Amino acid sequence: NSSSSVCPAAVEATTTHAKVDSEPRPYAEVPGPKPIPLLGNTWRLLPLIGQYQISDLAKVSKILYNEYGKIVKLSGLVGRPDLLFVYDAQEIEMMYRTETDAPHRPSMPCLVKYKSEVRKDFFGRLPGVVGVHGEPWREFRTKVQKPVLRPAAVVQYIQPIEEVTNQFLDRMLQIRDEQDELPKDFDNDIHKWALECIGRIALDVRLGCLDPNLSDDSEPMKIINGAKFALRNIALLELKFPFWRYVPTPLWGRYVKNMDYFIEICMKHIDKAQGRLQKKLDAGTPKSEFSVVEQILMSDPDPKLAYVLALDLILVGIDTISMAVCSVLYQLATRTDAQEKMYKELKKVLPTKDTPLTNNLLENMPYTRSFIKEVLRMYSTVIGNGRTLLEDKVICGYHIPKGVQLVFPTIVTGNMPEYVKDPDHFYPERWLKEHKADYYRHPFASLPYGFGVRMCLGRRFADLEMQILLAKLVRSYKLEYHHEPLEYKVTFMYAPEGPLRFKMTPRDD
């Protein structure tokens, strides 16, 4: 695994560091906004008096870089360790390449509290991959990564995800108005598509999220609302004064109830999958035909592993994928030249609109894949990746003590001219092999899925879902946007804010 091996350049960099900076500068000298006594720096995120809005976190990240340089300390945050923003791609590369096989990734304290205290009875010794660290994380990840990350697993889901996507495109056609435009709340439908895709992978079931006329008390609607609530309120629970750590607040109560509902759903569907697996085993079905869920159930007789993995994939996957898709579709609709290039590529690969997708056909869509990568570089859905330092380190010439939370703001580094040539130019071709020499980019500048052993577990599925959606949509329809340009904001992810009133018209051939 490249993540655990140390590259010679990184070793050389560490030794030259030691020579040049035999005496690193003290942590107290790291630049950054000065905390105020009692309030620390948390006040900067408070409504009315704060200078930074949570919805402008991506801008804040850029402002900090512009004001203070390549390393910035945000200290004095109530109830949290210091945040250290690192905007140096070489240093980021070195941090990733020299880390242990169980790195500590800062995560949502509310999820940690829920898993390790509130529902310790359920999560027990192996509480999953999200919000978990050290040996329990490593043991869980080792058990699930083979069935989840093997390339053959992804191929198995091409047809099921295509089915979900076909239903989504039919729904898009039905909900257009007289001007062929999608409704103001179209982002809700993107959420439903994402949830239906994840349900198909993590729970082995069609949840029915895309069915028309869902009632408020139907299971799919409850899951949709629950997923939205869980992620939309994390920024509030974490970044504003986190009172819930000291006294139960109404928002915290709703968060717990919501998470309990998710556990119930995961258990219900995984138990059904176990019943189906037993039938397959009795019938002597070849192992290659088993789904990801079935492979995990076979590898461990206790269904808890599958319950917890499903919960983690759903919690982290729905919002990330839906927000990325909102962004990708907005860029597609507003960049007609790029859309035409994509259409030409797809027309060549898919002779008719209803040519069924195969792995081989998807492999032959390099521009379509590059378009997604370029959107994620310029408008990274995840603002940054992070690590908690497990030991003292020298970073950018400063002595950084263990316990500090590092933030690698991929949204900023992916747009810095020293790491990416012409970063303000939207140019999907830069990701194609034949253009690599002309378009320099540092391999650690844009890492939407992170890097190394803690890289996003569901990344292959996320890429597959987005590519299938673009292939099916652009081969058959033209997507346009004729309203005021949208601004990008952070709810929990970085995405365009406002109604996605795309115009969708069928293509002639």
Side-chain angles (χ1 to χ4, degrees):
N1 187 326
S2 64
S3 51
S4 51
S5 64
V6 180
C7 80
V11 174
E12 192 177 294
T14 15
T15 46
T16 49
H17 246 301
K19 279 180 218 156
V20 178
D21 281 334
S22 51
E23 214 30 72
R25 296 170 70 180
Y27 180 61
E29 288 181 19
V30 176
K34 294 286 164 271
I36 290 176
L38 292 177
L39 274 180
N41 261 318
T42 300
W43 70 276
R44 296 176 190 275
L45 296 166
L46 288 177
L48 304 178
I49 61 161
Q51 71 195 86
Y52 303 142
Q53 285 295 316
I54 285 186
S55 61
D56 288 332
L57 271 179
K59 278 188 193 148
V60 172
S61 191
K62 186 91 166 76
I63 291 164
L64 292 175
Y65 168 66
N66 290 340
E67 281 190 27
Y68 302 102
K70 284 198 169 177
I71 182 166
V72 184
K73 175 172 66 177
L74 197 56
S75 59
L77 297 167
V78 174
R80 301 185 65 102
D82 290 357
L83 291 179
L84 189 77
F85 290 78
V86 180
Y87 301 89
D88 184 313
Q90 274 84 356
E91 293 278 2
I92 293 170
E93 174 170 13
M94 203 163 70
M95 294 301 300
Y96 275 128
R97 292 205 186 273
T98 56
E99 66 187 6
T100 67
D101 62 353
H104 198 294
R105 186 165 172 239
S107 61
M108 318 150 193
C110 50
L111 187 59
V112 174
K113 186 181 169 83
Y114 179 78
K115 283 185 170 186
S116 61
E117 292 176 33
V118 181
R119 291 303 308 272
K120 197 174 176 18
D121 60 314
F122 175 78
F123 289 97
R125 202 175 61 79
L126 294 180
V129 285
V130 183
V132 183
H133 310 284
E135 199 44 47
W137 167 81
R138 211 168 66 105
E139 195 180 327
F140 189 95
R141 170 92 184 203
T142 307
K143 286 185 173 204
V144 299
Q145 70 183 4
K146 199 175 166 200
V148 175
L149 288 177
R150 61 193 179 96
V154 181
V155 175
Q156 232 179 330
Y157 288 92
I158 294 171
Q159 191 241 332
I161 299 298
E162 185 179 5
E163 264 174 37
V164 171
T165 303
N166 285 336
Q167 191 187 355
F168 177 51
L169 294 176
D170 288 346
R171 176 159 173 78
M172 282 170 74
L173 287 174
Q174 286 157 13
I175 58 179
R176 292 178 308 166
D177 64 13
E178 310 77 67
Q179 278 81 43
D180 290 333
E181 285 196 342
L182 291 157
K184 283 180 181 171
D185 61 352
F186 174 58
D187 61 317
N188 282 334
D189 291 279
I190 293 175
H191 253 87
K192 292 172 183 176
W193 166 81
L195 191 48
E196 194 68 11
C197 289
I198 290 173
R200 189 61 191 76
I201 295 161
L203 297 171
D204 242 357
V205 72
R206 283 293 303 265
L207 290 167
C209 298
L210 291 166
D211 297 353
N213 318 319
L214 286 174
S215 65
D216 286 348
D217 60 350
S218 64
E219 184 182 278
M221 209 61 211
K222 281 184 184 168
I223 298 173
I224 292 157
N225 293 333
K228 271 187 127 164
F229 174 84
L231 281 155
R232 294 296 156 84
N233 287 288
I234 274 174
L236 297 177
L237 282 166
E238 301 295 7
L239 292 172
K240 304 255 171 180
F241 271 96
F243 293 123
W244 54 269
R245 295 175 196 214
Y246 314 108
V247 286
T249 60
L251 189 64
W252 173 249
R254 280 179 65 198
Y255 177 79
V256 169
K257 209 171 147 189
N258 199 43
M259 294 293 288
D260 288 347
Y261 179 65
F262 272 117
I263 288 180
E264 204 183 294
I265 290 295
C266 290
M267 289 174 73
K268 171 183 152 181
H269 289 295
I270 298 288
D271 287 348
K272 285 184 179 171
Q274 203 159 22
R276 290 194 298 272
L277 170 65
Q278 198 46 58
K279 284 183 185 153
K280 280 189 178 179
L281 289 169
D282 296 343
T285 309
K287 198 179 170 188
S288 59
E289 288 177 30
F290 289 170
S291 68
V292 165
V293 170
E294 288 165 346
Q295 300 248 2
I296 287 168
L297 286 169
M298 274 181 66
S299 70
D300 195 321
D302 183 355
K304 181 74 68 74
L305 193 71
Y307 295 159
V308 176
L309 177 68
L311 184 73
D312 277 359
L313 287 174
I314 290 169
L315 281 181
V316 175
I318 298 168
D319 226 50
T320 346
I321 290 179
S322 347
M323 290 302 179
V325 166
C326 290
S327 187
V328 165
L329 293 185
Y330 177 67
Q331 295 303 325
L332 184 77
T334 52
R335 297 183 186 275
T336 42
D337 293 355
Q339 188 175 158
E340 281 314 298
K341 281 182 190 170
M342 192 186 294
Y343 172 60
K344 280 184 182 142
E345 173 179 89
L346 293 168
K347 201 161 182 270
K348 226 182 273 177
V349 181
L350 305 170
T352 66
K353 289 178 179 182
D354 40 21
T355 304
L357 295 176
T358 62
N359 191 41
N360 196 22
L361 294 174
L362 289 169
E363 289 286 319
N364 283 305
M365 301 175 187
Y367 185 83
T368 305
R369 282 200 304 277
S370 299
F371 182 90
I372 296 169
K373 284 182 181 170
E374 185 68 342
V375 174
L376 295 181
R377 175 192 71 79
M378 274 186 99
Y379 311 93
S380 178
T381 315
V382 176
I383 300 172
N385 303 302
R387 290 290 185 264
T388 299
L389 274 188
L390 298 175
E391 56 184 19
D392 292 14
K393 284 256 187 198
V394 174
I395 302 173
C396 296
Y398 292 93
H399 178 93
I400 312 298
K402 75 179 213 182
V404 168
Q405 287 192 356
L406 304 180
V407 181
F408 308 138
T410 192
I411 184 77
V412 179
T413 52
N415 286 287
M416 283 166 69
E418 69 186 277
Y419 302 131
V420 178
K421 186 180 175 181
D422 297 343
D424 299 338
H425 177 40
F426 184 87
Y427 191 64
E429 285 85 348
R430 75 172 79 238
W431 298 92
L432 300 173
K433 282 192 185 100
E434 58 268 33
H435 291 270
K436 220 172 177 179
D438 318 327
Y439 268 83
Y440 166 75
R441 60 183 168 77
H442 193 291
F444 284 75
S446 172
L447 293 172
Y449 294 121
F451 180 83
V453 287
R454 286 216 73 139
M455 197 174 180
C456 166
L457 196 58
R459 67 188 179 275
R460 288 178 194 259
F461 292 110
D463 282 338
L464 178 78
E465 288 161 29
M466 289 192 280
Q467 194 188 339
I468 287 178
L469 177 59
L470 284 187
K472 300 300 292 183
L473 174 69
V474 177
R475 176 63 185 85
S476 298
Y477 306 97
K478 197 174 187 172
L479 205 65
E480 299 163 273
Y481 180 79
H482 300 297
H483 300 276
E484 283 296 301
L486 298 177
E487 242 194 286
Y488 272 69
K489 289 273 173 86
V490 174
T491 40
F492 178 61
M493 304 287 163
Y494 189 55
E497 189 182 55
L500 299 172
R501 293 172 61 193
F502 300 128
K503 181 177 183 178
M504 177 190 187
T505 45
R507 292 184 185 268
D508 296 335
D509 51 351

